[in-house]
Structures are given as C-alpha cells and as structure tokens.
Amino acid sequence: MSIKDFYAAVGGSYDEIMRRLLSEERVVKYLGKFCNDKSYELMTKDIAEEKWEDAFRDAHNLKGISVNLGLQNLFESSTELCESMRNGKPAVDIQPMFDRVKQDYETVVAAIAQL
C-alpha cells in the first residue's frame, strides 16, 4: 500500500501530511511509532474500570497523536469520546463513541501493517 492509499483508507489527507512531515520516509517512521503507543490500550482499560480522569487523558493523547499524523477519522472519533469524559463520568452512554474509536483505530493499525 502506498502512503497516498493509506491516507485515503484512514480518512486523512496525503497532501496535508506531506506539508507537515516533508517526506514519505518520515511519515512511515512516525506511523510505526503510532503502533507502539499505548494510549488506546490504556483508554480501553480505564473506561472498563470507570477511571474517567485517566480515560480522558488517554483519549486526549490518542486525539493528539491522531491529529499530528493526519489520521482524520480517528481524530474525530477520539475527540468526541474525549470530550464526553472531560468533566469526569460521562452523562451519556459512551459505548457508541467508543465503538467508533475502536473501528477507526483498528482501520489505522491494519492499514499501517500494509505499508
């Protein structure tokens, strides 16, 4: 899979990430680091344990990583989930938001494996 195809698959902008990181080699380097980040795993665990402050922080980290790497779909879904936990325990059912983050995250990881 090419970098252009990767960004089409994950809902990002190839042109935007190339303006930011300047080379495909650098993009691949940082996408590789994405796979080693534990924010998603920690967020999943913290949500299950209802540790809302920690889950918020984890979702916020995932949101930041996603925006920096131009992973637009994951950025949008993690932003929504993050904001639902900003003030502690969410007032709404977060399962649909979490499911969307999970789907977007898995799409990114699967696409990275194809690079």
Side-chain angles (χ1 to χ4, degrees):
M1 173 182 289
S2 72
I3 297 296
K4 263 188 182 181
D5 292 339
F6 170 84
Y7 276 94
V10 300
S13 169
Y14 173 81
D15 293 334
E16 180 183 323
I17 199 65
M18 290 307 295
R19 279 193 297 276
R20 186 175 304 133
L21 296 182
L22 306 176
S23 74
E24 288 191 357
E25 292 78 20
R26 191 174 284 164
V27 173
V28 170
K29 173 185 173 183
Y30 287 109
L31 288 173
K33 290 181 182 275
F34 175 86
C35 292
N36 295 324
D37 182 76
K38 301 296 182 205
S39 298
Y40 175 78
E41 292 172 28
L42 292 170
M43 180 188 69
T44 300
K45 178 180 173 286
D46 290 335
I47 288 173
E49 295 175 2
E50 297 186 3
K51 294 180 178 177
W52 302 116
E53 186 175 320
D54 293 339
F56 168 78
R57 183 191 65 241
D58 302 329
H60 194 273
N61 289 342
L62 185 60
K63 175 179 86 163
I65 293 165
S66 300
V67 75
N68 287 333
L69 291 174
L71 308 171
Q72 189 63 30
N73 290 348
L74 183 57
F75 167 69
E76 290 172 5
S77 61
S78 60
T79 297
E80 181 181 23
L81 181 59
C82 177
E83 292 307 313
S84 75
M85 298 182 288
R86 181 169 291 280
N87 297 313
K89 183 177 181 176
V92 297
D93 177 17
I94 63 168
Q95 191 62 51
M97 288 179 265
F98 177 77
D99 291 343
R100 183 170 167 224
V101 170
K102 180 180 179 185
Q103 179 181 0
D104 292 339
Y105 179 83
E106 289 174 353
T107 298
V108 168
V109 170
I112 288 172
Q114 294 180 32
L115 290 175

